[in-house]
Amino acid sequence: MTPPAPSLVALRTDPPRFSIDEAVGLARALFGVEGDARLLYGERDQNFHIRPASGDGIVLKIVSAAEGAAAIDYQTETLTHLLRTDPGVPVPRVVPTRDATPYGWTNDAAGTAYLVRAVGYQPGQPLEGAAAGHTLLRDIGRMLARLDRALGGLAAPPHAAPLVWDPRSAVSLRHFTNLIPSAERRRMVERIIDRFADLLPSYSGLRHQTIHNDGHAGNLLIDGSARAVAGILDFGDMIHGPLAFELAVPAAEIDGDGLGPLDSAAELLTGYSAILPLDAGEIAAFYQAILVRHALNITIQAWRTAHDPTGAAKLDGTVAHAVAALDTLLSLDEAKSLALLADAGQPIQERRRRRLGPGLELSYQRPVHFGRGEGAVLYDLEGRGYIDCYNNVPSVGHGNKIVADAIGRQMAEICSNTRYLHHTVLDYADRLTRTLPDGLETCLFVNSGSEANDAAWRIVKAVTGHTGMLVMSNAYHGITDAVATLSPYYGARIEPIAPHVKALEAPDLYRGRIRGDDPAAAVSYAAAADVAIAELIQSGHGVGGFLFDTGFVSNGILDVPAGYVAAVVEKVRAAGGLIIADEVQAGFGRTGDTLWGFQRYGIIPDLVTLGKPMANGHPVGAVVTRPALLDRFTDRVEFFSTFGGNPVSAAAALATLDIIERDGLRAHALVTGEFFRNGIKKLAQYHPAIGDVRGSGLLIGVDVVTDRHSRGPDPATARLLVNRLRDRHVLIGIDGPHGNVLKIRPPLPITQDQVGRALDALRSALESLQT
Ligand code: PMP
């Protein structure tokens, strides 16, 4: 049976014709808003922007006489509901009349009554006419998903007749396809509609709800960056139907910048799925609804050409676009198109598992998806801020414009390699070595902490001729085969710890063999090095050296006994070994008291390895050593890293070091870290789960225990705390051999206020343990 024909009369684009002066008078009389008026586009309503001397003003809407008051009441209810349910969705707010009613009335000269209403003017640029990049398309998808999530509970709109722009209306509009002048286009449109008519009954099983159904470029505003949606307008075409239809309008009508229609649809779907994933059936319906939207545009254009020439002229561009898009979409293999959309529509966790493998760990029980960051705050896709107390890599703050500009400028100029002369890497090496003790003056640039340790290890072997190495128990130094062997950290290696590697007992004053401030601790723990050295000599490996993380992070961020490091260093040197200070975690001012972690122990290493925070997230690593040591290595091998020391990396590292020094971030880390630790110690007075608070500057470890007497590590509670903090929008991590030490190492510019809020969240998370 053919569904009832929608009333095409509603398509006539003859909005009311009030004058500018009348609009000014209506705004004043009905809404008490005094300002000049500017006519805005309206398909059915006549819209004016009323601009007062200050503020954004209102949009005065003189509603088409064809529209019923029930539909307007429904829009008012919807906008109010949206604002209450998700205030982050940028929709206009309803402006009541001076009598506190949702709308008023006026008459034209002929005595016809018109409903007059007002909404807040949404600032922003119209998307119409602009090409949408990937980021914007995804944001449109996300915003429409948030809108749909909020619309979920609403009743169906009270349409008197089926709405023309409801994709399902295409079936009855099939009557009008004979108005399409080109026989070829007509057949294309009919095929699409007939196929859709066949499929429609199967869509009854899909999720249905109220949807906006009108997210085309004319109804979307974008912000100044052209990367985010700033406004969603026009709630006059809402329908109750398959959720899957929502994205069909933007997918059909918004041009992706340099993207074909299918790729644009995929981007929109990726954004949408991050909030509201669609299943395979819904994705297939989405695809059909895109085709149908184009078919509707072509058919309605044909009807308008016959019945409403003014409206038809406005649709010309849309139709040319619809024809081109259909030509492209229909030339593609449909199964492949659906597969591409299904990939894009997969929840991001699924895609990640498939493309990056299931082994890649994801933080938090409820993983977070961030869109941007600023300073010590990360913002999720819905714009909610999280205080980042975990990421040490963006050492001078997320989204740092100075570093970004340095990278951009250099990249636009030249990015080559160290086999050509270039000053940037030398400028950086000058500055870097100036911060290190005399003698440590030659740099070997690589691309990660792992590579730095790998190169340092090669230098040690080449210089000493020994192959034995001392490391700390549970140490982590990176992912290369050789360095993984130097990493007893659980999970870092496939093989058991190798015979050439000796792991030293951690000098853990909280849970170790000797505790507290026992003066014998340093000597006693360091004695483990004697045993290790003797074994390495005996096995013929000899002592190449000692590699240690100067923050003792994977040991649980230990405060090691005074004199311990110096004692081990002395023993290793006496056996002919070299000292590698791994500053990947603690370097660049994190510990506050000194720029480099090793300086806290009164030693001067032979090699220093750098990574993570070095260039605020740009991948850079380095080994700094004495010239004679490097010479003895490079005499024998040619060491060249294609990307290592390239001008862009050097510019990024230079800008980062500049900011650390210029903004006094080391001193800031010292003070802010102390404030943070003291705050946690205060919480410990009431919360026995906190057994110990350690670290220096903005490298903080909190040892979570089952009870303070036994000091038993409590990894389960630590995990609970990390997840509950995440729910309270504070990010931290876990480390230590038992997985029970809260790891806190925020970007250095974190403010005292942000630390205060993180402490509040920690208090609340700790209190939640007791319920
Ligand atoms: N050394 C230490 C102390 C580290 O913590 C890490 C990384 N967690 C590395 C080396 C390896 O650095 P990357 O991941 O950049 O290779």
mmCIF file of all heavy atoms in Angstrom, residues 566-608:
data_model
loop_
_atom_site.group_PDB
_atom_site.id
_atom_site.type_symbol
_atom_site.label_atom_id
_atom_site.label_comp_id
_atom_site.label_asym_id
_atom_site.label_seq_id
_atom_site.Cartn_x
_atom_site.Cartn_y
_atom_site.Cartn_z
ATOM 1 N N ALA A 566 75.961 6.686 44.997
ATOM 2 C CA ALA A 566 77.406 6.965 44.927
ATOM 3 C C ALA A 566 78.213 5.705 45.243
ATOM 4 O O ALA A 566 79.246 5.434 44.610
ATOM 5 C CB ALA A 566 77.752 8.099 45.882
ATOM 6 N N ALA A 567 77.730 4.905 46.197
ATOM 7 C CA ALA A 567 78.461 3.688 46.582
ATOM 8 C C ALA A 567 78.469 2.672 45.443
ATOM 9 O O ALA A 567 79.508 2.072 45.129
ATOM 10 C CB ALA A 567 77.821 3.089 47.846
ATOM 11 N N VAL A 568 77.314 2.511 44.784
ATOM 12 C CA VAL A 568 77.265 1.553 43.668
ATOM 13 C C VAL A 568 78.160 2.047 42.535
ATOM 14 O O VAL A 568 78.920 1.274 41.933
ATOM 15 C CB VAL A 568 75.807 1.353 43.172
ATOM 16 C CG1 VAL A 568 75.772 0.460 41.933
ATOM 17 C CG2 VAL A 568 74.927 0.771 44.282
ATOM 18 N N VAL A 569 78.068 3.344 42.251
ATOM 19 C CA VAL A 569 78.867 3.932 41.176
ATOM 20 C C VAL A 569 80.358 3.666 41.418
ATOM 21 O O VAL A 569 81.099 3.259 40.513
ATOM 22 C CB VAL A 569 78.580 5.455 41.075
ATOM 23 C CG1 VAL A 569 79.639 6.180 40.252
ATOM 24 C CG2 VAL A 569 77.185 5.678 40.480
ATOM 25 N N GLU A 570 80.774 3.863 42.644
ATOM 26 C CA GLU A 570 82.192 3.672 42.971
ATOM 27 C C GLU A 570 82.621 2.222 42.720
ATOM 28 O O GLU A 570 83.672 1.949 42.138
ATOM 29 C CB GLU A 570 82.400 4.047 44.436
ATOM 30 C CG GLU A 570 83.839 4.298 44.795
ATOM 31 C CD GLU A 570 83.982 4.593 46.283
ATOM 32 O OE1 GLU A 570 83.185 5.411 46.793
ATOM 33 O OE2 GLU A 570 84.855 3.971 46.918
ATOM 34 N N LYS A 571 81.782 1.297 43.127
ATOM 35 C CA LYS A 571 82.116 -0.133 42.957
ATOM 36 C C LYS A 571 82.196 -0.490 41.472
ATOM 37 O O LYS A 571 83.086 -1.217 41.033
ATOM 38 C CB LYS A 571 81.044 -1.006 43.627
ATOM 39 C CG LYS A 571 81.025 -0.901 45.146
ATOM 40 C CD LYS A 571 79.819 -1.671 45.705
ATOM 41 C CE LYS A 571 79.461 -1.282 47.129
ATOM 42 N NZ LYS A 571 80.433 -1.734 48.135
ATOM 43 N N VAL A 572 81.235 0.025 40.697
ATOM 44 C CA VAL A 572 81.199 -0.301 39.267
ATOM 45 C C VAL A 572 82.423 0.282 38.579
ATOM 46 O O VAL A 572 83.074 -0.387 37.753
ATOM 47 C CB VAL A 572 79.889 0.229 38.636
ATOM 48 C CG1 VAL A 572 79.929 0.113 37.110
ATOM 49 C CG2 VAL A 572 78.687 -0.532 39.204
ATOM 50 N N ARG A 573 82.744 1.510 38.940
ATOM 51 C CA ARG A 573 83.919 2.134 38.306
ATOM 52 C C ARG A 573 85.201 1.384 38.662
ATOM 53 O O ARG A 573 86.083 1.195 37.809
ATOM 54 C CB ARG A 573 84.019 3.598 38.715
ATOM 55 C CG ARG A 573 82.994 4.432 37.940
ATOM 56 C CD ARG A 573 83.296 5.906 37.994
ATOM 57 N NE ARG A 573 82.519 6.612 36.990
ATOM 58 C CZ ARG A 573 81.866 7.744 37.210
ATOM 59 N NH1 ARG A 573 81.901 8.310 38.405
ATOM 60 N NH2 ARG A 573 81.192 8.317 36.247
ATOM 61 N N ALA A 574 85.260 0.957 39.915
ATOM 62 C CA ALA A 574 86.457 0.216 40.347
ATOM 63 C C ALA A 574 86.619 -1.070 39.543
ATOM 64 O O ALA A 574 87.726 -1.558 39.330
ATOM 65 C CB ALA A 574 86.361 -0.086 41.840
ATOM 66 N N ALA A 575 85.484 -1.617 39.050
ATOM 67 C CA ALA A 575 85.554 -2.860 38.259
ATOM 68 C C ALA A 575 85.701 -2.560 36.773
ATOM 69 O O ALA A 575 85.570 -3.444 35.931
ATOM 70 C CB ALA A 575 84.290 -3.688 38.517
ATOM 71 N N GLY A 576 85.929 -1.276 36.439
ATOM 72 C CA GLY A 576 86.159 -0.915 35.038
ATOM 73 C C GLY A 576 84.890 -0.573 34.268
ATOM 74 O O GLY A 576 84.923 -0.465 33.041
ATOM 75 N N GLY A 577 83.778 -0.415 34.981
ATOM 76 C CA GLY A 577 82.506 -0.149 34.286
ATOM 77 C C GLY A 577 82.196 1.336 34.156
ATOM 78 O O GLY A 577 82.785 2.185 34.828
ATOM 79 N N LEU A 578 81.261 1.642 33.281
ATOM 80 C CA LEU A 578 80.804 3.018 33.070
ATOM 81 C C LEU A 578 79.391 3.194 33.640
ATOM 82 O O LEU A 578 78.655 2.216 33.803
ATOM 83 C CB LEU A 578 80.781 3.347 31.575
ATOM 84 C CG LEU A 578 82.137 3.321 30.866
ATOM 85 C CD1 LEU A 578 81.937 3.448 29.348
ATOM 86 C CD2 LEU A 578 83.019 4.456 31.382
ATOM 87 N N ILE A 579 79.035 4.444 33.886
ATOM 88 C CA ILE A 579 77.736 4.723 34.503
ATOM 89 C C ILE A 579 76.820 5.403 33.495
ATOM 90 O O ILE A 579 77.178 6.443 32.927
ATOM 91 C CB ILE A 579 77.903 5.652 35.735
ATOM 92 C CG1 ILE A 579 78.961 5.091 36.699
ATOM 93 C CG2 ILE A 579 76.560 5.879 36.418
ATOM 94 C CD1 ILE A 579 78.690 3.693 37.232
ATOM 95 N N ILE A 580 75.651 4.788 33.286
ATOM 96 C CA ILE A 580 74.640 5.410 32.416
ATOM 97 C C ILE A 580 73.488 5.892 33.301
ATOM 98 O O ILE A 580 72.816 5.088 33.954
ATOM 99 C CB ILE A 580 74.050 4.422 31.390
ATOM 100 C CG1 ILE A 580 75.148 3.705 30.607
ATOM 101 C CG2 ILE A 580 73.079 5.140 30.453
ATOM 102 C CD1 ILE A 580 74.629 2.582 29.701
ATOM 103 N N ALA A 581 73.289 7.207 33.314
ATOM 104 C CA ALA A 581 72.137 7.745 34.036
ATOM 105 C C ALA A 581 70.989 7.872 33.045
ATOM 106 O O ALA A 581 71.072 8.646 32.089
ATOM 107 C CB ALA A 581 72.472 9.106 34.641
ATOM 108 N N ASP A 582 69.940 7.106 33.266
ATOM 109 C CA ASP A 582 68.766 7.166 32.395
ATOM 110 C C ASP A 582 67.858 8.271 32.931
ATOM 111 O O ASP A 582 67.209 8.120 33.957
ATOM 112 C CB ASP A 582 68.077 5.796 32.403
ATOM 113 C CG ASP A 582 66.815 5.756 31.539
ATOM 114 O OD1 ASP A 582 66.249 6.834 31.266
ATOM 115 O OD2 ASP A 582 66.397 4.645 31.167
ATOM 116 N N GLU A 583 67.843 9.400 32.207
ATOM 117 C CA GLU A 583 67.068 10.574 32.645
ATOM 118 C C GLU A 583 65.739 10.678 31.900
ATOM 119 O O GLU A 583 65.105 11.737 31.898
ATOM 120 C CB GLU A 583 67.886 11.855 32.420
ATOM 121 C CG GLU A 583 69.115 11.977 33.306
ATOM 122 C CD GLU A 583 68.771 12.361 34.744
ATOM 123 O OE1 GLU A 583 67.623 12.767 35.010
ATOM 124 O OE2 GLU A 583 69.671 12.235 35.616
ATOM 125 N N VAL A 584 65.358 9.563 31.264
ATOM 126 C CA VAL A 584 64.128 9.590 30.471
ATOM 127 C C VAL A 584 62.922 9.975 31.333
ATOM 128 O O VAL A 584 62.026 10.678 30.897
ATOM 129 C CB VAL A 584 63.926 8.222 29.780
ATOM 130 C CG1 VAL A 584 62.559 8.124 29.137
ATOM 131 C CG2 VAL A 584 65.018 8.006 28.732
ATOM 132 N N GLN A 585 62.911 9.540 32.586
ATOM 133 C CA GLN A 585 61.790 9.868 33.478
ATOM 134 C C GLN A 585 62.042 11.142 34.285
ATOM 135 O O GLN A 585 61.177 11.993 34.398
ATOM 136 C CB GLN A 585 61.561 8.714 34.470
ATOM 137 C CG GLN A 585 60.919 7.488 33.870
ATOM 138 C CD GLN A 585 59.411 7.624 33.693
ATOM 139 O OE1 GLN A 585 58.792 8.594 34.121
ATOM 140 N NE2 GLN A 585 58.830 6.639 33.034
ATOM 141 N N ALA A 586 63.214 11.206 34.891
ATOM 142 C CA ALA A 586 63.414 12.244 35.914
ATOM 143 C C ALA A 586 64.042 13.525 35.382
ATOM 144 O O ALA A 586 64.055 14.539 36.074
ATOM 145 C CB ALA A 586 64.279 11.683 37.042
ATOM 146 N N GLY A 587 64.516 13.487 34.138
ATOM 147 C CA GLY A 587 65.269 14.624 33.619
ATOM 148 C C GLY A 587 64.440 15.843 33.280
ATOM 149 O O GLY A 587 63.212 15.836 33.390
ATOM 150 N N PHE A 588 65.131 16.906 32.906
ATOM 151 C CA PHE A 588 64.512 18.158 32.474
ATOM 152 C C PHE A 588 63.677 18.827 33.564
ATOM 153 O O PHE A 588 62.609 19.373 33.292
ATOM 154 C CB PHE A 588 63.699 17.950 31.188
ATOM 155 C CG PHE A 588 64.554 17.654 29.987
ATOM 156 C CD1 PHE A 588 64.731 16.349 29.544
ATOM 157 C CD2 PHE A 588 65.209 18.679 29.318
ATOM 158 C CE1 PHE A 588 65.541 16.071 28.451
ATOM 159 C CE2 PHE A 588 66.026 18.415 28.219
ATOM 160 C CZ PHE A 588 66.186 17.108 27.786
ATOM 161 N N GLY A 589 64.157 18.741 34.788
ATOM 162 C CA GLY A 589 63.578 19.561 35.853
ATOM 163 C C GLY A 589 62.453 18.938 36.645
ATOM 164 O O GLY A 589 61.953 19.539 37.593
ATOM 165 N N ARG A 590 62.048 17.725 36.273
ATOM 166 C CA ARG A 590 60.884 17.145 36.938
ATOM 167 C C ARG A 590 61.035 17.049 38.451
ATOM 168 O O ARG A 590 60.081 17.284 39.190
ATOM 169 C CB ARG A 590 60.591 15.750 36.353
ATOM 170 C CG ARG A 590 59.503 14.991 37.107
ATOM 171 C CD ARG A 590 58.744 14.079 36.219
ATOM 172 N NE ARG A 590 58.137 14.803 35.118
ATOM 173 C CZ ARG A 590 56.958 15.413 35.159
ATOM 174 N NH1 ARG A 590 56.227 15.378 36.265
ATOM 175 N NH2 ARG A 590 56.494 16.066 34.107
ATOM 176 N N THR A 591 62.234 16.675 38.897
ATOM 177 C CA THR A 591 62.372 16.451 40.338
ATOM 178 C C THR A 591 62.536 17.757 41.123
ATOM 179 O O THR A 591 62.632 17.743 42.343
ATOM 180 C CB THR A 591 63.554 15.511 40.652
ATOM 181 O OG1 THR A 591 64.734 16.088 40.103
ATOM 182 C CG2 THR A 591 63.334 14.124 40.059
ATOM 183 N N GLY A 592 62.582 18.857 40.404
ATOM 184 C CA GLY A 592 62.494 20.161 41.067
ATOM 185 C C GLY A 592 63.774 20.670 41.675
ATOM 186 O O GLY A 592 64.177 21.803 41.419
ATOM 187 N N ASP A 593 64.445 19.835 42.475
ATOM 188 C CA ASP A 593 65.643 20.328 43.146
ATOM 189 C C ASP A 593 66.799 20.549 42.178
ATOM 190 O O ASP A 593 67.580 21.484 42.330
ATOM 191 C CB ASP A 593 66.043 19.406 44.315
ATOM 192 C CG ASP A 593 65.859 17.940 43.983
ATOM 193 O OD1 ASP A 593 65.590 17.627 42.804
ATOM 194 O OD2 ASP A 593 65.968 17.106 44.903
ATOM 195 N N THR A 594 66.904 19.676 41.170
ATOM 196 C CA THR A 594 67.973 19.825 40.176
ATOM 197 C C THR A 594 67.379 19.578 38.796
ATOM 198 O O THR A 594 66.300 18.996 38.694
ATOM 199 C CB THR A 594 69.093 18.783 40.415
ATOM 200 O OG1 THR A 594 68.475 17.486 40.443
ATOM 201 C CG2 THR A 594 69.822 19.015 41.721
ATOM 202 N N LEU A 595 68.092 20.029 37.755
ATOM 203 C CA LEU A 595 67.554 19.795 36.411
ATOM 204 C C LEU A 595 67.632 18.313 36.060
ATOM 205 O O LEU A 595 66.781 17.771 35.382
ATOM 206 C CB LEU A 595 68.323 20.634 35.388
ATOM 207 C CG LEU A 595 67.651 20.732 34.012
ATOM 208 C CD1 LEU A 595 66.376 21.569 34.079
ATOM 209 C CD2 LEU A 595 68.602 21.332 32.971
ATOM 210 N N TRP A 596 68.688 17.653 36.577
ATOM 211 C CA TRP A 596 68.926 16.245 36.246
ATOM 212 C C TRP A 596 68.841 15.389 37.503
ATOM 213 O O TRP A 596 69.351 15.770 38.558
ATOM 214 C CB TRP A 596 70.305 16.085 35.581
ATOM 215 C CG TRP A 596 70.386 16.965 34.369
ATOM 216 C CD1 TRP A 596 71.142 18.079 34.228
ATOM 217 C CD2 TRP A 596 69.621 16.831 33.164
ATOM 218 N NE1 TRP A 596 70.909 18.659 33.006
ATOM 219 C CE2 TRP A 596 69.982 17.906 32.326
ATOM 220 C CE3 TRP A 596 68.679 15.912 32.701
ATOM 221 C CZ2 TRP A 596 69.430 18.093 31.058
ATOM 222 C CZ3 TRP A 596 68.130 16.097 31.433
ATOM 223 C CH2 TRP A 596 68.509 17.165 30.632
ATOM 224 N N GLY A 597 68.236 14.241 37.363
ATOM 225 C CA GLY A 597 68.051 13.349 38.509
ATOM 226 C C GLY A 597 69.359 12.924 39.147
ATOM 227 O O GLY A 597 69.479 12.854 40.374
ATOM 228 N N PHE A 598 70.404 12.663 38.324
ATOM 229 C CA PHE A 598 71.660 12.148 38.896
ATOM 230 C C PHE A 598 72.302 13.162 39.830
ATOM 231 O O PHE A 598 73.050 12.796 40.746
ATOM 232 C CB PHE A 598 72.631 11.701 37.795
ATOM 233 C CG PHE A 598 73.162 12.814 36.934
ATOM 234 C CD1 PHE A 598 74.210 13.623 37.395
ATOM 235 C CD2 PHE A 598 72.652 13.045 35.664
ATOM 236 C CE1 PHE A 598 74.711 14.658 36.601
ATOM 237 C CE2 PHE A 598 73.148 14.068 34.868
ATOM 238 C CZ PHE A 598 74.171 14.888 35.341
ATOM 239 N N GLN A 599 72.010 14.460 39.602
ATOM 240 C CA GLN A 599 72.638 15.488 40.440
ATOM 241 C C GLN A 599 72.212 15.357 41.899
ATOM 242 O O GLN A 599 72.896 15.820 42.798
ATOM 243 C CB GLN A 599 72.284 16.888 39.905
ATOM 244 C CG GLN A 599 72.936 17.173 38.550
ATOM 245 C CD GLN A 599 72.422 18.450 37.909
ATOM 246 O OE1 GLN A 599 71.215 18.661 37.829
ATOM 247 N NE2 GLN A 599 73.330 19.294 37.443
ATOM 248 N N ARG A 600 71.074 14.722 42.114
ATOM 249 C CA ARG A 600 70.591 14.563 43.492
ATOM 250 C C ARG A 600 71.448 13.570 44.276
ATOM 251 O O ARG A 600 71.369 13.501 45.495
ATOM 252 C CB ARG A 600 69.146 14.061 43.485
ATOM 253 C CG ARG A 600 68.230 15.003 42.723
ATOM 254 C CD ARG A 600 66.800 14.692 42.997
ATOM 255 N NE ARG A 600 66.361 13.468 42.367
ATOM 256 C CZ ARG A 600 65.466 12.647 42.870
ATOM 257 N NH1 ARG A 600 64.937 12.890 44.065
ATOM 258 N NH2 ARG A 600 65.097 11.576 42.229
ATOM 259 N N TYR A 601 72.227 12.752 43.535
ATOM 260 C CA TYR A 601 73.008 11.717 44.220
ATOM 261 C C TYR A 601 74.481 12.065 44.290
ATOM 262 O O TYR A 601 75.301 11.233 44.702
ATOM 263 C CB TYR A 601 72.813 10.374 43.497
ATOM 264 C CG TYR A 601 71.355 10.043 43.282
ATOM 265 C CD1 TYR A 601 70.845 9.837 42.010
ATOM 266 C CD2 TYR A 601 70.480 9.961 44.372
ATOM 267 C CE1 TYR A 601 69.502 9.546 41.818
ATOM 268 C CE2 TYR A 601 69.133 9.679 44.180
ATOM 269 C CZ TYR A 601 68.653 9.478 42.908
ATOM 270 O OH TYR A 601 67.322 9.203 42.723
ATOM 271 N N GLY A 602 74.836 13.278 43.833
ATOM 272 C CA GLY A 602 76.228 13.717 43.920
ATOM 273 C C GLY A 602 77.174 12.915 43.049
ATOM 274 O O GLY A 602 78.336 12.703 43.415
ATOM 275 N N ILE A 603 76.680 12.430 41.936
ATOM 276 C CA ILE A 603 77.576 11.682 41.031
ATOM 277 C C ILE A 603 77.599 12.359 39.659
ATOM 278 O O ILE A 603 76.701 13.127 39.337
ATOM 279 C CB ILE A 603 77.119 10.221 40.845
ATOM 280 C CG1 ILE A 603 75.714 10.193 40.188
ATOM 281 C CG2 ILE A 603 77.116 9.466 42.161
ATOM 282 C CD1 ILE A 603 75.539 9.066 39.227
ATOM 283 N N ILE A 604 78.609 12.037 38.884
ATOM 284 C CA ILE A 604 78.633 12.482 37.485
ATOM 285 C C ILE A 604 78.727 11.228 36.619
ATOM 286 O O ILE A 604 79.724 10.498 36.678
ATOM 287 C CB ILE A 604 79.824 13.423 37.211
ATOM 288 C CG1 ILE A 604 79.666 14.686 38.070
ATOM 289 C CG2 ILE A 604 79.885 13.780 35.722
ATOM 290 C CD1 ILE A 604 80.786 15.692 37.898
ATOM 291 N N PRO A 605 77.692 10.939 35.870
ATOM 292 C CA PRO A 605 77.704 9.720 35.054
ATOM 293 C C PRO A 605 78.624 9.881 33.848
ATOM 294 O O PRO A 605 79.052 10.990 33.523
ATOM 295 C CB PRO A 605 76.249 9.589 34.602
ATOM 296 C CG PRO A 605 75.686 10.969 34.696
ATOM 297 C CD PRO A 605 76.460 11.714 35.744
ATOM 298 N N ASP A 606 78.915 8.756 33.199
ATOM 299 C CA ASP A 606 79.707 8.808 31.970
ATOM 300 C C ASP A 606 78.825 9.038 30.756
ATOM 301 O O ASP A 606 79.260 9.600 29.764
ATOM 302 C CB ASP A 606 80.474 7.487 31.805
ATOM 303 C CG ASP A 606 81.340 7.222 33.018
ATOM 304 O OD1 ASP A 606 82.303 7.985 33.227
ATOM 305 O OD2 ASP A 606 81.013 6.291 33.799
ATOM 306 N N LEU A 607 77.610 8.551 30.871
ATOM 307 C CA LEU A 607 76.654 8.744 29.779
ATOM 308 C C LEU A 607 75.293 9.107 30.381
ATOM 309 O O LEU A 607 74.908 8.554 31.421
ATOM 310 C CB LEU A 607 76.480 7.458 28.954
ATOM 311 C CG LEU A 607 77.754 6.855 28.360
ATOM 312 C CD1 LEU A 607 78.122 5.594 29.134
ATOM 313 C CD2 LEU A 607 77.577 6.544 26.887
ATOM 314 N N VAL A 608 74.609 10.021 29.727
ATOM 315 C CA VAL A 608 73.266 10.398 30.169
ATOM 316 C C VAL A 608 72.328 10.108 29.013
ATOM 317 O O VAL A 608 72.604 10.496 27.874
ATOM 318 C CB VAL A 608 73.204 11.907 30.511
ATOM 319 C CG1 VAL A 608 71.807 12.308 30.949
ATOM 320 C CG2 VAL A 608 74.224 12.241 31.589
#
